[in-house]
Amino acid sequence: MLAVALVTEQANAQEILLTGPLAGAPAVRKLRLYREKRIEIAPAASFTLLDEYQREILFGARLNYNLTDWLAIGAFGAFGAIKVPTGLSEHIQDVNDGRRTADPGGASTDRRLTAVNLGPDFKKQLGSMDWVIAPQLTGVPFRGKLALFQNIYVDTDLYFFAGPAFIGVSERKDCDNDCSQQFDKKSRVAVAPTFGLGFTFYANKWNAIGFEWRALPFSWNTGGFDTKGGGKDSEFPDNKINDKDRLFRFNQMLTLSYNFYFPQQYRVSE
């Protein structure tokens, strides 16, 4: 045991000197530099995901200036052009219509309990994202070729982006008294982080198809409901509509784009 304790282990590293025609050669030759020093303009359509009450389709574009082949600065902007209520909203409105037909005066328990939360037309009180503007940084750490059917090879890159987002939100207007008669909406600007990832599939020297996932986490009142503000820790309805009724949502969207790169000719490495 004493002999073992006195013996010290020593690790040795050996430097490998590469000789021959590969000495000093880059990892990849004749690499197509699709992004470096090029402006990217990408008209896009975005589709919101996991919506409770209303799905949205936003039309816009992404604009990037690629400082290098792996780093870009730019912005994403979109306008919420199409809003489609979900099946849940249709069901809520059917129940709402039935209650109002059975009790026009609103004296029943069901009508009184939902008087603050359900207006005559539930769809008109739903919150929506009207527009999004997001300055962002984009990093492109991975790129290569994707094989389709083991026959067609497409230049592809995987990128990540992040930045602040400014979102134009329409949601039910604040009210303190007699909220059962007020279901109008009001616009405001919400500020939130945005981040995500995407794939670019290059069709030729200056065109590409893009798929992108984006997160926009922030709090808002999507259904126009009174959910908080009263009772212990303000966790119960208080018959008022205000910022306490906004719930945190991990909003997500998928974006499909068609990208244009200028100048049209890319560079090729040595």
Side-chain angles (χ1 to χ4, degrees), residues 23-184:
V28 180
R29 289 188 180 277
K30 304 298 181 185
L31 180 65
R32 297 171 181 174
L33 304 174
Y34 280 106
R35 292 176 177 268
E36 189 177 52
K37 307 300 182 185
R38 300 177 88 186
I39 296 173
E40 175 191 7
I41 301 174
S46 300
F47 306 85
T48 56
L49 301 175
L50 304 177
D51 305 295
E52 286 181 288
Y53 306 113
Q54 185 167 258
R55 299 185 181 90
E56 291 192 53
I57 302 176
L58 300 92
F59 295 100
R62 182 180 65 250
L63 177 65
N64 274 338
Y65 176 70
N66 296 277
L67 301 171
T68 68
D69 214 41
W70 58 272
L71 180 65
I73 58 173
F76 168 82
F79 172 73
I82 299 176
K83 301 174 176 60
V84 182
T86 64
L88 176 59
S89 293
E90 301 286 355
H91 181 64
I92 291 174
Q93 184 58 37
D94 290 342
V95 174
N96 191 30
D97 288 339
R99 289 176 177 174
R100 287 178 176 273
T101 301
D103 180 20
S108 68
T109 302
D110 289 340
R111 286 293 309 279
R112 286 188 286 108
L113 290 176
T114 59
V116 174
N117 287 322
L118 292 176
D121 190 346
F122 177 62
K123 301 172 188 173
K124 291 185 178 180
Q125 69 183 68
L126 297 178
S128 62
M129 287 188 284
D130 297 331
W131 52 266
V132 178
I133 296 177
Q136 59 189 26
L137 283 175
T138 300
V140 190
F142 305 110
R143 59 186 173 185
K145 289 184 179 294
L146 183 68
L148 301 177
F149 310 111
Q150 297 184 343
N151 189 28
I152 302 173
Y153 296 89
V154 181
D155 285 349
T156 307
D157 62 38
L158 169 64
Y159 61 90
F160 299 88
F161 59 87
F166 303 89
I167 307 115
V169 179
S170 290
E171 58 190 356
R172 191 172 168 188
K173 190 177 181 180
D174 289 359
C175 72
D176 293 329
N177 299 301
D178 200 17
C179 295
S180 62
Q181 303 299 320
Q182 302 178 47
F183 293 90
D184 295 335

Side-chain angles (χ1 to χ4, degrees), residues 226-266:
D226 168 32
T227 56
K228 294 186 178 180
K232 183 179 180 181
D233 299 326
S234 299
E235 292 296 325
F236 294 91
D238 60 352
N239 292 322
K240 299 178 182 177
I241 303 297
N242 50 40
D243 59 352
K244 295 178 181 177
D245 299 311
R246 298 170 187 164
L247 300 179
F248 178 78
R249 310 278 180 179
F250 194 78
N251 308 288
Q252 305 173 62
M253 61 177 66
L254 283 181
T255 297
L256 173 64
S257 64
Y258 195 79
N259 313 342
F260 299 87
Y261 294 86
F262 301 98
Q264 296 178 338
Q265 182 63 45
Y266 56 59

